[in-house]
């Protein structure tokens, strides 16, 4: 199949790929439940064992049935909505894999690290790949149901520049508290830190390079936050149009999908601890740190998703079929 043929056939191929992926993933979970060895199948990355494996097998078997129905219910809206729930399920199964760029360096280069469960890591990566396939299948079905071109979505509606710019500025502002606090910690401040040792840096989980940078006032995670700010601006500013489109979209959607739910969890945890509504243990951190600084990931993820969506619509081109 030529590249041009493959590109124009991706909606149909995505639906088939989602079907076969679901069948294989459900079969792998059932095999793990029967044979005993753990292959990393879990619910929300925590619940493990035969019960969780059987539950995983059942959920993804139902997803396979939904994938079978997608091309046969082209004019109905409900399959694409259910397909989105499968995307959420896949992301829940592989949530930890999304943080691999941050976690793996600590495992490979940090000190006194626990052994890595590579089977579970690979399984989580497979779940994230399934989320991508299902997202493509859901998008193609939704476009067909709305009478649009499944490949390009038809001619994109104009998106006001102010809406795009506002999303970018909100995303930048959401990371300012985190970046400021982590940089202040690297420079010697201890505001919001209640533990012993250096705040924001555990030598057991930090590489030698990260330790050297921290000793000179540079926190690696703060630098990553600045990179996230640049990404949000690239998606919403004219100069971002000169950058490659697909990498920006991939980074934007990955960041939004990973950080929005993660930030919601941290924000809720901080609120419960700060207000005293529930007894929540937050080791070595004041509740306001978790709510304001770390909880900003939620706002950033949502704003980044808005900016990415606006950028995708504004830069979409109609195909020859339209």
């Amino acid at each position: 199949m030529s590249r041009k043929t493959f590109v124009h056939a991706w909606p149909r191929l995505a639906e088939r790929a989602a079907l076969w992926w679901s069948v294989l993933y459900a079969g792998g979970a059932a095999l793990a439940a029967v044979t005993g060895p753990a292959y990393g199948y879990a619910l929300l990355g925590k619940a493990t064992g035969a019960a969780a494996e059987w539950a995983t097998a059942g959920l993804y078997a139902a997803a396979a049935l939904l994938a079978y129905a997608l091309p046969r219910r082209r004019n109905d809206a409900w399959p694409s909505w259910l397909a989105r729930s499968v995307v959420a399920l896949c992301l829940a199964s592989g949530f930890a894999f999304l943080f691999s760029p941050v976690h793996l360096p600590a495992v490979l280069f940090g000190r006194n690290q626990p052994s890595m469960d590579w089977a579970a890591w690979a399984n989580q990566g497979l779940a994230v790949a399934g989320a991508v396939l299902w997202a493509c299948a859901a998008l193609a079905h939704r476009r067909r149901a709305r009478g649009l071109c499944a490949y390009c979505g038809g001619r994109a509606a104009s998106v006001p520049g102010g809406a795009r710019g506002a999303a970018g500025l909100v995303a930048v502002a959401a990371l300012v508290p985190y970046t400021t606090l982590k940089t202040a910690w690297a420079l010697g401040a201890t505001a919001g830190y209640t533990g012993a040792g250096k705040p924001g840096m555990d030598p057991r989980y930090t590489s030698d390079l990260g330790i050297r940078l921290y000793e000179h006032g540079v926190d690696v995670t703060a630098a990553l936050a600045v990179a996230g700010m640049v990404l949000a601006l690239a998606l919403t500013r004219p100069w971002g149009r000169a950058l490659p489109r697909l990498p920006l979209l991939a980074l934007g959607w990955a960041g939004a999908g990973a950080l929005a739910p993660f930030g919601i969890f941290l924000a809720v945890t901080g609120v419960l601890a700060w207000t005293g509504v529930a007894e929540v243990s937050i080791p070595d951190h004041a509740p306001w740190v978790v709510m304001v600084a770390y909880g900003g990931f939620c706002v950033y993820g949502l704003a980044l998703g808005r900016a990415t969506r606006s950028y995708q619509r504004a830069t979409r081109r109609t195909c020859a079929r339209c």
Side-chain angles (χ1 to χ4, degrees):
M1 179 183 295
S2 66
R3 179 179 180 275
K4 184 176 180 180
T5 303
F6 174 80
V7 168
H8 285 286
W10 77 260
R12 175 173 51 85
L13 295 177
E15 292 173 344
R16 291 184 179 179
L19 170 61
W20 286 110
W21 179 91
S22 300
V23 170
L24 293 175
Y25 200 78
L31 179 64
V34 172
T35 58
Y39 297 112
Y41 291 94
L43 297 177
L44 296 177
K46 294 184 178 295
T48 58
E53 291 163 350
W54 280 120
T56 301
L59 289 172
Y60 285 103
L65 294 176
L66 176 62
Y68 180 79
L70 285 178
R72 292 162 178 79
R73 295 287 184 177
R74 297 189 184 278
N75 297 325
D76 297 333
W78 62 266
S80 58
W81 284 104
L82 289 179
R84 295 178 185 180
S85 66
V86 179
V87 174
L89 175 63
C90 293
L91 289 176
S93 298
F95 185 74
F97 183 86
L98 297 174
F99 294 92
S100 294
V102 177
H103 180 60
L104 280 181
V107 173
L108 297 176
F109 306 110
R111 298 180 176 86
N112 302 321
Q113 295 299 304
S115 59
M116 182 76 171
D117 189 346
W118 293 106
W121 179 79
N123 193 306
Q124 292 162 358
L126 186 62
V128 172
V132 174
L133 293 176
W134 268 101
C136 292
L139 177 62
H141 184 276
R142 178 173 176 270
R143 287 175 175 175
R144 288 196 184 103
R146 298 177 64 183
L148 302 175
C149 173
Y151 168 62
C152 73
R155 186 170 300 279
S158 60
V159 181
R164 295 197 305 270
L169 293 177
V170 169
V172 170
L175 290 184
V176 168
Y178 177 83
T179 306
T180 303
L181 182 63
K182 294 303 290 287
T183 301
W185 283 353
L187 292 174
T190 58
Y193 184 71
T194 59
K198 294 183 178 180
M201 194 276 292
D202 190 336
R204 297 174 299 172
Y205 303 96
T206 309
S207 65
D208 292 336
L209 176 60
I211 294 175
R212 287 196 296 270
L213 290 175
Y214 195 88
E215 291 175 348
H216 290 81
V218 179
D219 184 273
V220 174
T221 59
L224 292 175
V226 172
M229 296 179 186
V230 174
L231 172 62
L233 293 176
L235 291 167
T236 56
R237 297 300 173 182
W239 56 265
R241 301 295 179 88
L243 301 176
R245 181 175 185 268
L246 290 181
L248 283 180
L249 289 176
L251 291 172
W253 285 124
L259 293 179
F262 182 59
I264 290 174
F265 170 77
L266 291 176
V268 171
T269 300
V271 170
L272 293 177
W274 200 359
T275 58
V277 175
E279 292 293 334
V280 181
S281 176
I282 307 176
D284 301 336
H285 291 84
W288 68 264
V289 172
V290 179
M291 187 183 71
V292 177
Y294 297 158
F297 293 148
C298 167
V299 179
Y300 174 81
L302 295 175
L304 184 66
R306 175 71 174 94
T308 305
R309 174 58 177 159
S310 299
Y311 174 85
Q312 182 177 3
R313 293 176 60 191
T315 59
R316 179 186 297 156
R317 298 179 180 177
T318 56
C319 64
R321 295 188 177 188
C322 292

